Amino acid sequence: MVDTEFIEALASKAPTPGGGGASAYAGALASALASMVGNLTVGKKKYAAVEERVQAELLALEATRLRLLELIDGDAAAFAPLAAAYGMARDTDEAAAAQRAALQVALVDACEVPLEIMRQCVQVIESCVFMAKHGSVLALSDAGAAVMLAKAALLSASLNVRINIGSMADKARAKAYRDQMEDLIAAGGTLADDVYAGVVERLG
């Protein structure tokens, strides 16, 4: 049942998939687990009042999950030109200038992709807020597990942003990326912690 191809590739010495891909994968797992909570809720008389909203959340979670799976490959695609730029010759002034220019171009996607992973993870966390509060109580612990997976994915993706903005010559762009990253951490992290605390309290 478990597809180990990605896990084995991640464990290898190949540079991709790496931390960004793993973050997207973890976010997809979080989305899937939150979806399980929703699927255990729909069709139950006890939760008829929230049936329509649960169905809407399930559609949103599916879209987020598919996007995160795409971003596994997106992260690898963004890393390739970055690695190539770091490997370019710098033995003459012209070569060094070309290397710096190529690096600055590659750094943009190397920040954009993990930021998108982070945005998707925040969406998963927002769905977990609803699932933990209104989903089947039989899957309450799963809602808590889902939100913690999503938070871990959010924070781990942020590390790719941090490392890449440090090499950016365009300090205004770097600051904009840092601000986006910090806003996403603040929003998603607080929500996730609140959901987890609420789940722990209810579980006793």
Side-chain angles (χ1 to χ4, degrees):
M1 182 177 178
V2 177
D3 182 359
T4 60
E5 183 179 355
F6 176 81
I7 302 299
E8 293 301 327
L10 190 63
S12 76
K13 64 180 181 181
T16 57
S23 300
Y25 193 89
L29 288 175
S31 176
L33 190 54
S35 293
M36 187 191 83
V37 178
N39 283 318
L40 286 170
T41 305
V42 294
K44 303 292 175 59
K45 291 181 180 179
K46 181 178 179 180
Y47 304 102
V50 294
E51 173 92 13
E52 187 174 335
R53 175 66 186 277
V54 174
Q55 294 283 12
E57 291 293 343
L58 284 170
L59 288 174
L61 283 164
E62 181 182 18
T64 303
R65 184 164 64 255
L66 292 173
R67 180 63 178 138
L68 283 163
L69 291 173
E70 290 175 351
L71 287 165
I72 295 173
D73 291 333
D75 179 74
F79 180 78
L82 185 65
Y86 276 118
M88 288 173 65
R90 287 171 282 182
D91 51 347
T92 67
D93 289 345
E94 293 80 4
Q99 188 272 339
R100 287 194 297 271
L103 178 61
Q104 295 309 309
V105 171
L107 284 168
V108 173
D109 278 347
C111 287
E112 291 283 358
V113 172
L115 279 170
E116 177 64 9
I117 293 171
M118 292 179 72
R119 284 189 284 268
Q120 295 298 320
C121 288
V122 170
Q123 290 185 35
V124 175
I125 290 168
E126 289 171 347
S127 289
C128 289
V129 172
F130 176 83
M131 292 300 182
K133 186 174 181 179
H134 300 289
S136 172
V137 294
L138 298 176
L140 179 60
S141 62
D142 297 297
V147 83
M148 284 293 99
L149 279 172
K151 181 186 177 183
L154 172 73
L155 294 179
S156 57
S158 76
L159 298 177
N160 276 16
V161 181
R162 288 183 187 278
I163 193 171
N164 289 316
I165 60 177
S167 299
M168 277 192 167
D170 185 341
K171 298 308 178 186
R173 184 188 290 271
K175 182 182 184 304
Y177 283 149
R178 180 180 292 277
D179 289 346
Q180 290 179 53
M181 175 196 71
E182 291 178 346
D183 287 347
L184 289 164
I185 291 173
T190 299
L191 277 180
D193 289 343
D194 288 347
V195 171
Y196 179 77
V199 169
V200 169
E201 183 177 358
R202 289 171 64 190
L203 291 174

